Amino acid sequence: MAEASRLIFPQNGAHSLLADWQDRFADSSGVLKSPRHSLTIVPVLDFEVGGEEFITMAGPCSVETEFQLMATANHVRRAGARILRGGAFKPRSSPYAFQGLGLKGLKLLAHARQECDLAIITEVMSECDVPLVAEYADILQIGTRNMENYALLEAAASSGRPILLKRGMMATIADLLRSAQCILDAGNPHIMLCERGIRTFETAMRNTFDIAAIALLKRISHLPVIADPSHAAGHRDLVPVLARTAVAAAADGLLVEVHPCPERAWSDGDQSLDFSGFEDMMADLEPWLRLREQTLYRLQNRAFEPRPMEAVG
Ligand code: PEP
Ligand code: MN
């Protein structure tokens, strides 16, 4: 058997990487698992992302009004979310669509944070806005359209806040890992990867949910992986089942859109769950969280036995 065809890091089976993957993602080696670094745990307030606890981030696509945000924050908190999502700066497909409340939205998020004991994740779209957004957010979200905006990645990294990096809608896994490496190189190790669906020839859904990307990222990268079933599906009826598959694939958390009245949402209403839909989704996750534990156990206990590359399908 040729040496190159063996799993590398044979001294530590739990963190082995196939040589093929090691080569393919060689320019992002800092975010790949290694014997010295197999797990990144991102501290957020008094909890962690990437540890044992499964973390749900939920809330509206856009911050609209105080009532909308506070009602949603209270509800998602009661249903088990730890982090409130909500866009104050919105990258919209149309330049004529609602672009977000800006600073007013950030202030509403800060109010919800204080009242509901939730951490805040919100998108930052421009490097100029990083200091302002970082003042209010516990996690900075880099959107799909900005995954390769390196000036923004560097500015966001320099803020010191944890970063949720969404996969570009036309980005490969290698592209995603390269952008994560840029954030790491800019001095910020607190990175979460987010699979939110990619563009394919399929148009029945808004995007194609790449569940295999979640499975692969959990094998090759030490960074936490968050699934966004809302933007992947584009339709609320599909969100719970996509969430369940992501949990079974051992995602570390979810990013889900929830709105008190999705029909009236200013953005992404079709894919937003209402309160009872969110509650049902969370309750239905229970058995899948047990499957997640099994998947994590397998990942940590030599899921991949050393074997020749030819035997790998
Ligand atoms: C969002 O989270 O509301 C959003 C705009 O996501 P994406 O960048 O994945 O489209
Ligand atoms: Mn949205």
Side-chain angles (χ1 to χ4, degrees):
M1 196 189 311
E3 200 50 40
S5 69
R6 288 172 183 275
L7 284 165
I8 58 167
F9 307 136
Q11 72 275 36
N12 187 337
H15 311 129
S16 298
L17 276 188
L18 287 172
D20 183 41
W21 286 332
Q22 184 75 17
D23 289 348
R24 192 178 302 229
F25 305 116
D27 49 2
S28 312
S29 59
V31 298
L32 297 183
K33 283 184 184 177
S34 76
R36 277 184 299 119
H37 194 171
S38 64
L39 189 65
T40 289
I41 291 185
V42 178
V44 181
L45 300 184
D46 59 346
F47 59 92
E48 296 171 336
V49 183
E52 274 177 29
E53 189 187 352
F54 184 79
I55 299 292
T56 302
M57 316 179 184
C61 177
S62 306
V63 179
E64 299 168 3
T65 64
E66 181 169 359
F67 171 79
Q68 170 241 22
L69 191 67
M70 296 308 295
T72 310
N74 275 306
H75 190 87
V76 300
R77 180 76 175 106
R78 276 201 302 273
R82 289 291 217 149
I83 302 176
L84 177 67
R85 65 146 288 146
F89 294 91
K90 293 304 301 176
R92 302 303 304 286
S93 301
S94 162
Y96 305 109
F98 173 59
Q99 305 292 313
L101 293 182
L103 178 58
K104 189 174 161 211
L106 294 176
K107 290 190 169 160
L108 289 174
L109 286 166
H111 181 53
R113 180 182 193 273
Q114 203 172 12
E115 293 292 307
C116 304
D117 190 28
L118 284 159
I120 298 297
I121 179 167
T122 194
E123 178 162 358
V124 59
M125 288 176 57
S126 147
E127 57 198 282
C128 313
D129 295 334
V130 167
L132 179 70
V133 178
E135 221 180 283
Y136 290 88
D138 299 292
I139 302 172
L140 299 180
Q141 175 175 322
I142 303 288
T144 191
R145 294 161 187 82
N146 273 316
M147 189 204 80
E148 289 180 295
N149 180 344
Y150 296 118
L152 175 60
L153 297 185
E154 277 171 29
S158 306
S159 75
R161 291 286 188 207
I163 293 176
L164 180 119
L165 177 65
K166 286 192 144 194
R167 180 178 180 184
M169 62 183 89
M170 290 187 284
T172 64
I173 291 167
D175 296 334
L176 173 65
L177 292 174
R178 249 191 313 272
S179 289
Q181 180 74 44
C182 285
I183 298 170
L184 187 66
D185 290 345
N188 190 336
H190 294 144
I191 308 161
M192 292 157 261
L193 304 172
C194 179
E195 163 59 34
R196 47 79 71 204
I198 50 172
R199 283 223 169 131
T200 67
F201 57 82
E202 179 57 74
T203 54
M205 280 80 61
R206 183 174 181 182
N207 289 288
T208 297
F209 190 42
D210 190 357
I211 189 78
I214 296 175
L216 179 61
L217 288 169
K218 285 300 297 173
R219 273 164 180 73
I220 65 177
S221 174
H222 53 73
L223 299 175
V225 178
I226 305 297
D228 173 349
S230 306
H231 290 84
H235 197 289
R236 77 180 66 92
D237 287 356
L238 289 175
V239 169
V241 65
L242 297 194
R244 293 195 290 270
T245 59
V247 172
D252 295 282
L254 291 175
L255 181 69
V256 184
E257 289 186 338
V258 180
H259 193 284
C261 181
E263 301 72 35
R264 298 231 189 118
W266 297 2
S267 60
D268 285 350
D270 289 348
Q271 67 197 34
S272 300
L273 296 171
D274 62 15
F275 291 170
S276 66
F278 180 68
E279 221 174 288
D280 290 348
M281 183 199 81
M282 293 295 276
D284 289 348
L285 285 182
E286 272 311 313
W288 300 80
L289 288 166
R290 285 196 292 279
L291 286 178
R292 173 177 175 267
E293 279 166 25
Q294 287 176 27
T295 311
L296 283 172
Y297 180 83
R298 288 199 182 113
L299 273 170
Q300 283 157 12
N301 290 279
R302 303 193 61 137
F304 285 99
E305 293 297 330
R307 57 194 166 145
M309 283 302 286
E310 328 54 277
V312 178

